[in-house]
Amino acid sequence: MTTALQPEIPSHPVLRLRLAPRSGMPRPIDGAWWPRSYDLLAELPSLLAGLPRAWGQITSVTVNGAVWSAVPGRTLVFNQVVRLHRALAASAPHTAVLLAPGRGRWDLLVVPPDTTEAAAEPLMAAAASDQE
């Protein structure tokens, strides 16, 4: 008797993140993040774990308050306190701003979680493009 092998389901979903190449010039968008939900407390650990070490320790995250679920003033991620802020800026409704003291600021385009893969892929590619 033969049994068919089932593909292994990953215990942690793959982080959907694309970052622009490093350059000396500041960029309006440093990459794109496509979370699976608007629950920041659930999504933030995998995002922070997937960032380059060169970005340093992210201590502050600002997201659009109109679309993300309740955001407390701070949370603990990997034994590190991260301050969470909600902004209502109409100029950047789909961004997340990450701050690391002494290292810098990075602005990520947030692709809405319910976006189809066909629509999300070009957005993520454009945000991570080396074209300014």
Side-chain angles (χ1 to χ4, degrees):
M1 178 164 115
T2 1
T3 58
L5 293 176
Q6 296 294 323
E8 205 170 297
I9 298 172
S11 59
H12 300 289
V14 174
L15 176 63
R16 300 183 296 189
L17 175 71
R18 291 216 194 139
L19 300 175
R22 290 182 64 174
S23 71
M25 301 300 293
R27 304 174 51 96
I29 292 291
D30 299 293
W33 174 40
W34 184 19
R36 287 178 165 69
S37 74
Y38 277 121
D39 181 349
L40 190 58
L41 297 180
E43 299 290 341
L44 194 57
S46 62
L47 172 63
L48 295 184
L51 296 175
R53 289 187 189 264
W55 284 23
Q57 186 174 2
I58 302 298
T59 60
S60 176
V61 176
T62 302
V63 295
N64 182 308
V67 296
W68 289 88
S69 61
V71 175
R74 61 183 174 210
T75 189
L76 195 62
V77 180
F78 306 120
N79 294 322
Q80 159 195 337
V81 174
V82 178
R83 295 195 183 281
L84 304 175
H85 306 278
R86 293 169 62 105
L88 297 174
S91 61
H94 296 290
T95 60
V97 178
L98 311 175
L99 297 174
R103 295 289 178 102
R105 168 189 168 148
W106 294 273
D107 291 39
L108 298 178
L109 170 72
V110 176
V111 177
D114 58 353
T115 305
T116 65
E117 187 171 350
E121 281 300 319
L123 292 171
M124 296 193 58
S129 167
D130 59 0
Q131 305 297 314
E132 302 281 329

